Amino acid sequence: MDLDTLLSFDWGTMTPEFIILGMIAILSVADLFMPKQVDRKVLGWAGFAGVVLALISLVSLIGTETTSILYDTFRLDSFAIAFKLILLLGAALVMLLAIDYRTKDGLEEYKGEFFYLFLTALLGTMFMASSGDLITLFVGLELLSIPSYVLAGMRKRNLKSNESAMKYVLNGGISTAITLFGMSYVFGIAGTTNLREIAQVFGGLSDPQHIYILGLAFFMIFVGLSFKLASAPFHMWAPDVYEGAPTPVTAFLSVVSKTAGFVIILRILLSIFGYIPVPQEDGQQIPLLFAVQDYIAFLAGATMIIGNVIALRQRNIKRMFAYSSIAHAGYILVALTAMSFVTFDAIWFYMLAYLLMNLGAFAVIQVITMKTGSEDISHFAGLYRRSPLLAVGMGIFILSLAGIPGTAGFIGKLNIFMGALMVDQAHYVLVSIMIATTVVSYFYYFGIMTQMFFRPAASDEKIHLPIGTLVVILVTVIGTILFGVMPNLAIDFMHSNFNQFVDFMR
């Protein structure tokens, strides 16, 4: 590539990525030369400023024409902008939690590494959202995964953290290999890694053997990415990793990493398998993605059931939220199964609601676990008397996670529910499972409420909130209530700025 070609690209479309990349370089060099006795909090605040600056630059790109650079490997379309907004907002809130995080096993010694590794993982998620090529999708996926393995094991002197990192690496390596094997089949038949070119080639397929091989490729890619989503039965790593990792890392994996997982699934499944024609017995042809709906539905149902039922037996609050996170992945898979015309809208809104209610809950969990040194649910007893703000905030997050009306979580579930019923062949069984498992979730969610409001406190000592954590709780509480009472604020913003994601493959 000559210099003139290089300069001809519209590099402005990558402004948010360049800001994050620049901040990674600054933080890594600063951490290297800063004296050891200097508090690394300053690096965290610099990283937070970088994320906010990237978010502002992304907002300025809303409404721009769909742009493709680097030979269509990087796309800035409405889909990319919409999901990057969630990724950057979630990252900014997680960064505030990380700044306030303290442990008794010396994590502060590695705090500088934490911040720039976290930003590196964030950069990977952003590349996944804008990728128009299998290679850049895979590079973004690994740019997210590899720092995440390190972050999960940051507490070097903690055996659970070591165990979580090892399990995460092993499961992540296996899932990566399976995903890459499936992608190799796609490349072998299409002869290209560009998603738009693959769609054009596959739209004219008629050889049944090729369609069969692509069916295998679909299952390998979907299974490999299901590890990343922690959807059943590929979820076994999640409870151990969530428990052993530092709380800000757990929050990151639960929200930002999971959002990125659904981003790459939507990019690959719709761009590739939504165009492969599969002949039916009546002579009609349907896309391969619709032909395998029953298998995705089975995975969604199993994920909702396993996540909610096993959560009932958990006493460790982070393990409970790990299984809760598994269940919520199942809810989003319901929207993916339905493939209605509101699928993108439903998934985007649910990820936004999930970000607010889950990050808020983890902010409260971080405060309690840092104060007590334990993650047992019993330490939430009497929280209302010790800190009414924390207790009321956690109550709002739990009501939203449970899908109670008046919260963003309820609207998110309602959108998925309606989307699954408005298609020609309504998914009544899947919707029934969704309702039943939501009711099951009330038992463990409201168990936390019982502890906070109706159990005596072991100590009357008041809890003081660090400024960063207080900001996270206030922002998430306001967002959870606001989008529950006035969901049109988010929905109208999406419709007026992202135009139903019609440019997804243009």
Side-chain angles (χ1 to χ4, degrees), residues 216-273:
L216 294 177
F218 167 81
F219 283 111
M220 282 188 284
I221 292 173
F222 192 66
V223 166
L225 294 178
S226 293
F227 276 97
K228 304 294 183 184
L229 300 178
S231 61
F234 315 106
H235 66 283
M236 297 307 294
W237 61 271
D240 293 324
V241 173
Y242 278 44
E243 181 183 1
T247 305
V249 178
T250 305
F252 171 77
L253 295 176
S254 175
V255 175
V256 181
S257 182
K258 191 177 291 290
T259 301
F262 279 103
V263 164
I264 192 172
I265 276 188
L266 288 170
R267 277 287 188 200
I268 290 181
L269 296 193
L270 296 182
S271 300
I272 298 175
F273 301 104

Side-chain angles (χ1 to χ4, degrees), residues 47-297:
F48 173 74
V51 175
V52 171
L53 191 60
L55 185 59
I56 293 170
S57 70
L58 181 67
V59 171
S60 70
L61 293 173
I62 293 176
T64 59
E65 297 259 337
T66 301
T67 309
S68 170
I69 63 172
L70 297 173
Y71 303 105
D72 208 25
T73 58
F74 187 93
R75 288 174 54 81
L76 187 73
D77 52 17
S78 57
F79 176 87
I81 295 174
F83 281 92
K84 280 185 197 176
L85 285 173
I86 295 178
L87 294 170
L88 286 170
L89 176 60
L93 296 177
V94 172
M95 187 66 86
L96 289 176
L97 293 183
I99 291 169
D100 290 339
Y101 186 64
R102 289 286 182 271
T103 64
K104 297 177 181 178
D105 51 14
L107 178 64
E108 287 75 19
E109 184 180 344
Y110 314 107
K111 204 74 177 282
E113 300 170 21
F114 181 97
F115 295 124
Y116 57 77
L117 284 172
F118 171 78
L119 290 179
T120 304
L122 172 63
L123 184 63
T125 67
M126 295 171 69
F127 272 116
M128 288 160 63
S130 281
S131 289
D133 192 279
L134 286 178
I135 293 176
T136 47
L137 271 173
F138 183 75
V139 170
L141 180 62
E142 290 308 290
L143 196 57
L144 162 66
S145 299
I146 294 173
S148 297
Y149 304 151
V150 182
L151 289 171
M154 284 293 285
R155 296 163 64 188
K156 295 184 180 181
R157 300 181 182 89
N158 185 290
L159 290 178
K160 286 186 176 179
S161 184
N162 296 338
E163 179 188 354
S164 73
M166 179 59 69
K167 289 183 176 179
Y168 198 14
V169 168
L170 292 175
N171 280 278
I174 293 169
S175 67
T176 295
I178 296 172
T179 304
L180 196 57
F181 193 23
M183 287 181 177
S184 70
Y185 278 172
V186 172
F187 171 69
I189 293 177
T192 178
T193 57
N194 185 272
L195 294 180
R196 291 174 67 185
E197 293 175 6
I198 291 172
Q200 292 171 2
V201 172
F202 286 175
L205 275 183
S206 58
D207 189 334
Q209 293 184 0
H210 284 173
I211 294 173
Y212 175 77
I213 292 173
L214 289 172
L216 294 177
F218 167 81
F219 283 111
M220 282 188 284
I221 292 173
F222 192 66
V223 166
L225 294 178
S226 293
F227 276 97
K228 304 294 183 184
L229 300 178
S231 61
F234 315 106
H235 66 283
M236 297 307 294
W237 61 271
D240 293 324
V241 173
Y242 278 44
E243 181 183 1
T247 305
V249 178
T250 305
F252 171 77
L253 295 176
S254 175
V255 175
V256 181
S257 182
K258 191 177 291 290
T259 301
F262 279 103
V263 164
I264 192 172
I265 276 188
L266 288 170
R267 277 287 188 200
I268 290 181
L269 296 193
L270 296 182
S271 300
I272 298 175
F273 301 104
Y275 288 86
I276 301 170
V278 178
Q280 301 297 295
E281 293 179 356
D282 58 2
Q284 300 292 321
Q285 289 185 334
I286 61 172
L288 176 62
L289 194 56
F290 287 87
V292 296
Q293 265 186 328
D294 291 344
Y295 301 101
I296 304 176

Side-chain angles (χ1 to χ4, degrees), residues 3-85:
L3 183 61
D4 290 338
T5 305
L6 195 63
L7 294 175
S8 67
F9 294 131
D10 183 7
W11 294 106
T13 59
M14 293 183 69
T15 302
E17 284 79 8
F18 283 133
I19 292 172
I20 298 298
L21 180 62
M23 190 54 63
I24 293 168
I26 291 170
L27 294 187
S28 56
V29 173
D31 183 48
L32 184 64
F33 289 102
M34 280 175 65
K36 285 189 176 181
Q37 63 270 22
V38 176
D39 192 346
R40 259 50 182 178
K41 259 189 178 184
V42 64
L43 298 181
W45 286 113
F48 173 74
V51 175
V52 171
L53 191 60
L55 185 59
I56 293 170
S57 70
L58 181 67
V59 171
S60 70
L61 293 173
I62 293 176
T64 59
E65 297 259 337
T66 301
T67 309
S68 170
I69 63 172
L70 297 173
Y71 303 105
D72 208 25
T73 58
F74 187 93
R75 288 174 54 81
L76 187 73
D77 52 17
S78 57
F79 176 87
I81 295 174
F83 281 92
K84 280 185 197 176
L85 285 173

Side-chain angles (χ1 to χ4, degrees), residues 389-403:
L389 174 63
L390 277 182
V392 171
M394 189 65 168
I396 291 170
F397 303 137
I398 287 173
L399 291 176
S400 186
L401 286 162

